[in-house]
Amino acid sequence: MARPRRKRCVSGLPMVEGFKPVGIPMKELSTVTLLFEEYEAIRLCDYLGLRQEEAAAMMKVSRPTLTRVYEKARRTVATAFAEGKAMIIEGGDYQTEGDWSRCPRCRRAVSGSQHIAKCGLCETSENKKST
Ligand SMILES: [Zn+2]
């Protein structure tokens, strides 16, 4: 019997659903997909500067698995940059710590399972504009 694949732990959803090149309408772009666990590997290794051993422990995977996920992630990001593609962050084989949902207004990720009308983030920016 095959060993069941362990889910990769990600601490939360990425802040945005994806990235696109400046000045080109979405409908004219082709896209690449960055999986949630690939996003998390880049966030841990490159943004937070963790060593791969540490990132692997955070995601509860083996070091070779982390390396594989991380290298695929960097190839995907590099492809988007070099070929001018949009990058959508979705899918994968992952679990999050706690519940996350997306603000229906600004589409940013917020923690919590309850259905939210809007998050604190877009509320905050609105307050700034009005003062
Ligand atoms: Zn919001």
Side-chain angles (χ1 to χ4, degrees):
M1 201 174 85
R3 200 157 50 108
R5 240 156 83 99
R6 217 156 13 139
K7 294 218 184 301
R8 294 81 193 262
C9 285
V10 304
S11 60
L13 296 178
M15 207 163 182
V16 296
E17 291 174 291
F19 295 88
K20 67 184 275 293
V22 171
I24 305 170
M26 197 64 199
K27 62 179 192 309
E28 291 170 25
L29 290 167
S30 54
T31 61
V32 294
T33 300
L34 190 70
L35 302 177
F36 282 125
E37 64 259 33
E38 294 169 353
Y39 161 84
E40 181 74 348
I42 286 186
R43 191 181 72 85
L44 295 175
C45 295
D46 292 325
Y47 179 66
L48 298 181
L50 300 185
R51 286 180 294 114
Q52 291 198 7
E53 291 82 2
E54 297 170 314
M58 296 268 293
M59 292 179 71
K60 299 187 170 70
V61 296
S62 69
R63 165 68 197 272
T65 298
L66 184 278
T67 301
R68 196 155 32 82
V69 169
Y70 177 62
E71 283 175 357
K72 180 160 173 280
R74 293 184 70 148
R75 259 200 317 279
T76 299
V77 172
T79 300
F81 282 179
E83 298 182 11
K85 291 181 172 174
M87 185 166 61
I88 306 299
I89 308 171
E90 66 180 2
D93 188 20
Y94 69 98
Q95 60 188 27
T96 56
E97 287 167 17
D99 292 311
W100 290 76
S101 53
R102 234 171 244 295
C103 171
R105 270 187 79 200
C106 70
R107 309 300 297 159
R108 277 184 282 211
V110 282
S111 60
S113 56
Q114 70 273 48
H115 207 76
I116 52 155
K118 58 182 175 181
C119 67
L121 295 167
C122 56
E123 223 166 20
T124 306
S125 58
E126 236 173 13
N127 289 345
K128 273 191 201 134
K129 265 180 235 153
S130 63
T131 49

